[in-house]
Amino acid sequence: MSDDASTKPIRTGPTSTARIEHRELEVDGVRVHHFPSAETTTSATLVFGAGIRDETLPTLGTLHALEHLVMSTVRRTPIDINGSVGLNTTDFTATGSPHLVAAFLEGVCRALVDPPLDRIATESKILDAEGGEGDGGPPLALARYGWRDLGVVGGPGPGPRGIRADAIREAAERWFVAGNAVLVIDGPWPEGLRLPLRPG
């Protein structure tokens, strides 16, 4: 693994009595946890601290739409990839050759900075076919939180065809920034890794 101006080591060494090799670094402002191994493939998960509970009733489904828009820009790759939105986090995963994983991660970051908003109509049809945002959320969440935080999970929202471009852009600028991300890499280091997110 080579260090350059955008990759700075934070900590290196075993982190438990089991002697699991672990390196903690920073790449383009994103905290990275690397677990090296002798495998030939690399697995990576880029996680952002934003999920369904961070939306409001009028913007419910915005993060799912953003995830779809981002994945539409990187889906033509011969490795295993996925994106998902949970209650608290949104993540993008890839497993394959190190250089293709690096290309996927860079593509995801570039699409988060400049989402392909011209694809909203296309992706809304796919989101519509996939169904709603969940099963109604945690029990009693609506009674406890009202139509915010966990109370919004499983709410009616605007539906896939009611998602607005400005809400997607605002979500990308607010939550999908380097300071709200962590990357976990298992396997060989993807040389030349770039994570060109907005700072923050």
Side-chain angles (χ1 to χ4, degrees):
M1 174 181 53
S2 60
D3 291 333
D4 57 34
S6 65
T7 305
K8 45 182 202 193
I10 297 173
R11 187 177 13 182
T12 301
T15 57
S16 73
T17 57
R19 301 270 184 197
I20 296 172
E21 184 66 26
H22 170 243
R23 294 185 181 101
E24 192 174 330
L25 323 134
E26 193 174 282
V27 176
D28 295 329
V30 176
R31 184 152 301 217
V32 180
H33 295 275
H34 178 217
F35 298 88
S37 75
E39 298 292 324
T40 58
T41 60
T42 296
S43 293
T45 303
L46 179 61
V47 182
F48 293 89
I52 299 168
R53 71 183 297 169
D54 296 299
E55 297 179 299
T56 63
L57 194 58
T59 64
L60 188 61
T62 299
L63 296 184
H64 195 182
L66 176 60
E67 176 256 318
H68 269 244
L69 292 172
V70 168
M71 291 299 288
S72 76
T73 69
V74 293
R75 69 169 51 117
R76 286 189 170 85
T77 182
I79 60 174
D80 285 338
I81 61 171
N82 199 7
S84 64
V85 180
L87 289 179
N88 303 303
T89 60
T90 299
D91 62 65
F92 299 91
T93 62
T95 300
S97 64
H99 76 281
L100 289 176
V101 168
F104 168 80
L105 292 169
E106 182 172 347
V108 164
C109 292
R110 291 191 186 286
L112 286 166
V113 170
D114 186 19
L117 299 175
D118 58 321
R119 287 190 52 85
I120 290 176
T122 301
E123 293 302 325
S124 70
K125 293 175 188 171
I126 297 168
L127 290 165
D128 203 20
E130 284 184 0
E133 289 298 319
D135 58 3
L140 302 178
L142 182 58
R144 165 65 179 86
Y145 296 97
W147 287 112
R148 61 182 177 75
D149 200 270
L150 288 175
V152 79
V153 178
R161 295 175 195 276
I163 301 228
R164 301 181 336 264
D166 62 321
I168 292 173
R169 189 179 299 106
E170 182 182 321
E173 292 173 358
R174 178 176 182 185
W175 289 309
F176 294 87
V177 296
N180 196 36
V182 65
L183 174 62
V184 179
I185 297 176
D186 185 16
W189 181 258
E191 294 294 338
L193 176 64
R194 308 259 30 101
L195 301 169
L197 292 165
R198 289 183 183 86

